[in-house]
Amino acid sequence: MSEKATLSLDGKEYELPVIVGTENEKAVDISKLRAETGYITYDDGYGNTGSCISSITYIDGENGILRYRGIDIAEIAEKSDFIETAYLIIYGRFPTREERQEFNHLIVEHELLHESMRNQFQGFPFHAHPMAVLSAMINSMSCFHPQLLEIDDESKFIQATARLLSKVRTIAAFSYKHSVGQPLIYPTSNRSYTENFLHMMFSAPNTDYEPDPDVVRAMDLMFILHADHEQNCSTSTVRMVGSSKANLFTSVAAGVSALWGRLHGGANQAVLEMLMGIHERGESIPQVLAKAKDKNSDFRLMGFGHRVYKNFDPRARIIKDACDKVLYKLGKKDPLLGIAKDLAEAALEDEYFVERKLYPNVDFYSGIIMRAIGIPINMFTVMFAIGRMPGWIANWKETQDNPKGRIYRPRQIYNGPAKRSYEQAKTPFLD
Ligand code: ACO
């Protein structure tokens, strides 16, 4: 017999079904709670709330496990590339050789932007943050592909997916070129996905950027490690917007906005700014840790802690090794890496961090790799957005394919003023 939870409220007992996932994770199903009891649940920040049933990504935060479609992240990072990983995440299986060729072909076919879309870059001020540009430009894809606003068959979904994966790179690189006042560099079809991106970022009309294969691999790895992370803030946002049946492009643009915040994707930028600040001010490691622990200060050790991982972030391990390799290969001795390593070592032995299970997350090292590659700081979160695209697409699709899917609409506990009249509310403000 399947397990049930018993809830006692106002002297009555209610039986609630228990749902069990593939890896034996358990949830109490409260979907009929309000109808049956008149109560709702309260879970500020949704730390205990499962908002959906999903077959895309599995995370066990206590044991530092992350799997895409059942495959461990370390194995994917070692054996796959970003486009194959994207295909796996979006379609739930690896492509056949022909499907991979066809997918590559579509990605190449759609790497250019419509000229009117390209012209839009001129309208942004030079100092515009590239995340603002990225969100706006992805949203504007809704204007240029009206035939893909309603996705009612598989071939339209593939078309929309290939366009998004391909154009997000072009938009990202164009936004960078615009911000530094350089001519936009067009993609070339003979380069791999990631190499092409680096080419658009760093080539100029008078110089061709020849990326080191290890640098291309490190960047590709960064995209793989960010490709999905179940119901994080931006992915939940994409699902929320998509649940209203908003189109894929605009749903994903909302995800870009959610990612921008410094407690989410903005953390990689915040980590580097923090390390640069420590370096410039010559602060010692104990001083920094003391500040991070001081409850009267709003300073936090950026790149540390995670809502889900309470042991270690498996992505941080992989990226730390890649970071060492890239710096060695490029012959760069970055003082910030030294500070980062010392900080991590000290924090991992500090009672405050140990007690609260605060470990380095993926962002702790990713900024250092990107800095070594030459990616400017304000583009860091954009890199994260390119990587997260497959996860957003797959999650959006899951909401559309759910036959029982309803619009996402949480409830609240109201604690504002009790009922009062217009005059009562206005009286204190009358002379
Ligand atoms: N530095 C210092 N103290 C911290 C940190 C930190 N980085 N993170 C958490 N804490 C402390 C909190 O002050 C709190 O202490 P308390 O129990 O004494 O009040 C305790 O640890 C729990 O922290 P919460 O904020 O409740 O944890 P939550 O799960 O809500 O937040 C988050 C997780 C946002 C990642 C948090 O750890 C943080 O702000 N980290 C720094 C920002 C960061 O690196 N974000 C990237 C996340 S990974 C990603 O998005 C890809």
Side-chain angles (χ1 to χ4, degrees):
M1 209 179 84
S2 55
E3 212 180 322
K4 299 238 186 257
T6 310
L7 176 71
S8 175
L9 272 178
D10 299 332
K12 276 181 83 178
E13 298 230 318
Y14 300 90
E15 284 211 324
L16 302 169
V18 168
I19 302 176
V20 184
T22 312
E23 299 289 343
N24 207 30
E25 68 277 29
K26 293 181 177 171
V28 179
D29 178 353
I30 56 152
S31 46
K32 299 213 165 57
L33 184 72
R34 187 169 176 276
E36 288 178 5
T37 68
Y39 281 70
I40 59 169
T41 55
Y42 174 65
D43 185 18
D44 194 14
Y46 306 130
N48 305 283
T49 297
S51 62
C52 60
I53 294 179
S54 175
S55 60
I56 304 166
T57 288
Y58 172 70
I59 299 177
D60 174 349
E62 306 303 327
N63 293 306
I65 293 172
L66 167 63
R67 295 182 199 135
Y68 298 155
R69 301 286 186 183
I71 307 166
D72 196 79
I73 186 65
E75 203 180 349
I76 294 184
E78 187 194 331
K79 298 176 183 165
S80 189
D81 61 32
F82 178 61
I83 291 301
E84 185 185 63
T85 303
Y87 195 103
L88 170 74
I89 289 174
I90 295 170
Y91 301 106
R93 61 175 177 82
F94 284 122
T96 61
R97 192 189 303 261
E98 290 73 34
E99 284 168 338
R100 172 73 203 246
Q101 273 170 359
E102 175 60 18
F103 201 53
N104 279 351
H105 174 73
L106 280 175
I107 283 174
V108 169
E109 188 181 329
H110 294 299
E111 62 195 7
L112 288 170
L113 302 185
H114 189 288
E115 278 298 282
S116 302
M117 205 170 160
R118 189 183 63 87
N119 290 337
Q120 285 183 38
F121 282 90
Q122 305 312 321
F124 292 111
F126 282 129
H127 59 263
H129 195 289
M131 283 299 275
V133 177
L134 186 69
S135 177
M137 295 303 285
I138 290 180
N139 207 5
S140 90
M141 285 178 70
S142 312
C143 312
F144 290 90
H145 308 292
Q147 77 285 14
L148 297 175
L149 298 189
E150 287 295 329
I151 294 188
D152 41 23
D153 66 37
E154 210 46 32
S155 86
K156 277 192 184 175
F157 180 57
I158 292 177
Q159 288 292 329
T161 300
R163 278 177 170 83
L164 260 175
L165 285 174
S166 189
K167 290 186 199 300
V168 65
R169 257 176 334 172
T170 314
I171 294 171
F174 281 13
S175 73
Y176 167 63
K177 286 296 193 192
H178 176 69
S179 74
V180 290
Q182 286 183 13
L184 308 181
I185 298 296
Y186 282 50
T188 51
S189 53
N190 57 342
R191 298 176 204 252
S192 72
Y193 182 89
T194 300
E195 194 184 343
N196 215 348
F197 169 67
L198 292 170
H199 155 70
M200 285 189 276
M201 284 285 292
F202 300 123
S203 285
N206 57 346
T207 45
D208 223 8
Y209 173 76
E210 288 298 337
D212 183 301
D214 285 342
V215 167
V216 176
R217 177 65 192 145
M219 198 69 236
D220 202 70
L221 189 63
M222 293 266 304
F223 291 152
I224 292 174
L225 296 180
H226 286 90
D228 193 38
H229 212 234
E230 52 118 299
Q231 302 315 312
N232 55 84
C233 178
S234 57
T235 303
S236 298
T237 301
V238 171
R239 287 186 88 113
M240 167 82 78
V241 177
S243 77
S244 75
K245 300 297 172 203
N247 75 70
L248 175 62
F249 304 122
T250 203
S251 302
V252 164
V256 173
S257 303
L259 186 72
W260 192 1
R262 72 178 183 285
L263 294 187
H264 189 14
N268 52 19
Q269 175 169 343
V271 169
L272 214 80
E273 284 165 354
M274 174 187 78
L275 294 174
M276 285 178 353
I278 296 170
H279 185 53
E280 276 160 24
R281 290 188 294 271
E283 281 173 323
S284 70
I285 302 296
Q287 276 173 327
V288 179
L289 291 190
K291 216 164 52 165
K293 294 189 281 188
D294 181 359
K295 292 292 173 199
N296 296 317
S297 144
D298 58 6
F299 174 81
R300 279 190 168 195
L301 201 54
M302 299 314 286
F304 254 75
H306 199 277
R307 172 60 62 84
V308 177
Y309 294 121
K310 300 298 175 194
N311 183 329
F312 64 93
D313 180 341
R315 303 166 302 172
R317 279 199 175 160
I318 299 168
I319 218 159
K320 180 176 173 296
D321 288 348
C323 188
D324 289 339
K325 264 187 214 145
V326 164
L327 290 189
Y328 177 75
K329 186 72 194 282
L330 296 178
K332 294 206 174 168
K333 284 205 170 48
D334 191 340
L336 301 193
L337 182 63
I339 296 174
K341 281 183 173 163
D342 292 348
L343 257 183
E345 246 168 54
L348 289 171
E349 287 181 359
D350 189 292
E351 210 181 302
Y352 173 97
F353 291 89
V354 174
E355 253 177 23
R356 289 169 180 74
K357 301 186 172 169
L358 302 171
Y359 295 85
N361 59 48
V362 66
D363 292 316
F364 197 67
Y365 296 103
S366 63
I368 295 169
I369 294 197
M370 289 192 277
R371 182 171 136 104
I373 294 175
I375 311 272
I377 293 186
N378 67 353
M379 286 290 290
F380 283 9
T381 316
V382 173
M383 303 299 107
F384 190 157
I386 298 174
R388 185 53 54 88
M389 193 54 73
W392 289 335
I393 295 172
N395 275 276
W396 179 88
K397 187 69 164 50
E398 236 178 30
T399 61
Q400 309 305 302
D401 288 350
N402 181 358
K404 292 191 192 152
R406 303 168 75 198
I407 189 165
Y408 280 28
R409 201 324 188 164
R411 296 263 173 183
Q412 63 162 18
I413 303 291
Y414 172 72
N415 76 347
K419 184 173 187 307
R420 56 189 176 149
S421 70
Y422 177 85
E423 281 74 21
Q424 281 169 328
K426 209 161 184 187
T427 305
F429 301 103
L430 295 177
D431 294 330

